[in-house]
Amino acid sequence: PGGTGVNSAQLTLASLTRNSGSFLVTNNVGQIGSAGRLVVTAPLAGNLAAVNDVVPGVIVNGNIAGYAPGLGLGALGSTGFPAYFTSALNTAGSSANVSTATCAVLAGGQTINTLLQQGDLTFSASADRLTLAGGMILQGGEVGKLMGSDTGNRGQITSGLASGELFLVKLPGGSGGAAGAFKVNSVITDNGGTRVRLVVAGIGRNDLTNQQFNLTANNAHTGGTVVSGGNTVFLAATTN
């Protein structure tokens, strides 16, 4: 409560669940001081179980989210939570939560955990695959970033989550339109026997006169597609 110079509040939940294909967005939580905290008593489980420090399908303050005892849900890179890997994408290991503008995928393909994409994602060959063990790519800003090329190497994207969910999220910032859209030229694929479900979400982007996502590939995933907010344009002949 107010009156002490520090104004904070804590919401404690006995447990938390998330439906498949849904996601949770919250702001101003996960810090000591004049901030809120969202704490869950029971261990996060199922499709909320942490993968390499990330809680799948949860976004805090425009960032990929983690969970810390005493702080609850919070943004990666903030006090008390793991830092992002900020070097070039092709130098990242399989457990890295990457935030970078240097987004060339390692030749032959690679696995990382999650990506806060700040530059165009490029591939050396169309058969190269980027696997997101934590199942999340976030992108923000006025100018949209590319994922693969629609005239060169598209590359492939898949999720390593047991749930098969692959979250592609356009964060607030900019007015949308074709120039500001998240242009997904890469082919979304299943991961072996795991059927991938694509979840596209434009957070705070409900102006349907602008484009938040352009999907141009003939995708190969078989778990379906969920559109949650914003305006998504399918430019391919067949997109599951």
Side-chain angles (χ1 to χ4, degrees):
T4 63
V6 176
N7 301 294
S8 65
Q10 176 170 310
L11 173 63
T12 301
L13 304 177
S15 62
L16 182 65
T17 60
R18 179 177 61 77
N19 291 335
S20 176
S22 67
F23 65 99
L24 171 66
V25 180
T26 185
N27 293 310
N28 301 317
V29 298
Q31 293 297 299
I32 298 296
S34 296
R37 288 178 295 281
L38 178 55
V39 175
V40 184
T41 302
L44 296 176
N47 62 9
L48 286 172
V51 179
N52 297 317
D53 299 319
V54 163
V55 182
V58 180
I59 299 166
V60 174
N61 299 338
N63 282 273
I64 294 163
Y67 190 90
L71 296 176
L73 293 170
L76 294 193
S78 60
T79 302
F81 293 87
Y84 284 106
F85 178 91
T86 57
S87 297
L89 173 63
N90 60 10
T91 66
S94 60
S95 62
N97 296 301
V98 180
S99 174
T100 185
T102 309
C103 293
V105 175
L106 186 67
Q110 72 181 111
T111 297
I112 61 171
N113 198 51
T114 59
L115 176 62
L116 184 57
Q117 184 186 348
Q118 301 178 47
D120 289 343
L121 187 67
T122 61
F123 294 83
S124 299
S126 288
D128 288 353
R129 176 180 292 183
L130 179 64
T131 300
L132 285 304
M136 298 180 72
I137 299 181
L138 275 61
Q139 183 190 116
E142 178 80 27
V143 179
K145 305 299 187 296
L146 302 178
M147 180 182 291
S149 170
D150 57 357
T151 59
N153 296 320
R154 288 185 178 273
Q156 302 177 11
I157 305 287
T158 194
S159 172
L161 291 175
S163 67
E165 294 166 300
L166 176 62
F167 296 90
L168 303 184
V169 179
K170 183 71 174 175
L171 299 169
S175 58
F182 191 160
K183 191 171 183 181
V184 184
N185 299 311
S186 298
V187 177
I188 310 301
T189 69
D190 288 341
N191 189 355
T194 301
R195 300 177 65 184
V196 165
R197 168 174 283 189
L198 177 62
V199 183
V200 293
I203 297 176
R205 292 172 172 267
N206 297 315
D207 180 358
L208 297 183
T209 64
N210 285 321
Q211 300 171 21
Q212 280 79 60
F213 289 90
N214 288 339
L215 280 75
T216 72
N218 290 324
N219 290 323
H221 65 293
T222 61
T225 298
V226 177
V227 178
S228 182
N231 184 11
T232 299
V233 179
F234 297 99
L235 299 175
T238 58
T239 304
N240 294 318

